Amino acid sequence: MITGGGSADWGTPAATLGGGGIAISGTVLADYLRHRHERDRGAEARRRAVYIEFISAAG
């Protein structure tokens, strides 16, 4: 919107870009944390399998 002084109102586009940046950052962070959780869970399952194999071999 152009006001009487001939300058543009940059509030709405700035707020839109800021909100989009926050949304994208949140999505990237959530995806990173989900992948990290899945990776940790896989490592935990492998560790448990090794423990069970060791106990079985020792017994």
Side-chain angles (χ1 to χ4, degrees):
M1 170 181 271
I2 305 238
T3 59
S7 64
D9 178 18
W10 292 99
T12 302
T16 301
L17 290 174
I22 291 170
I24 290 172
S25 298
T27 301
V28 169
L29 178 63
D31 194 46
Y32 168 77
L33 293 175
R34 183 176 55 84
H35 282 294
R36 188 176 76 176
H37 178 71
E38 289 175 358
R39 184 182 65 232
D40 291 346
R41 192 170 46 185
E44 186 177 308
R46 287 189 301 274
R47 191 177 312 120
R48 187 177 302 118
V50 168
Y51 291 159
I52 291 171
E53 186 177 336
F54 174 78
I55 291 170
S56 296

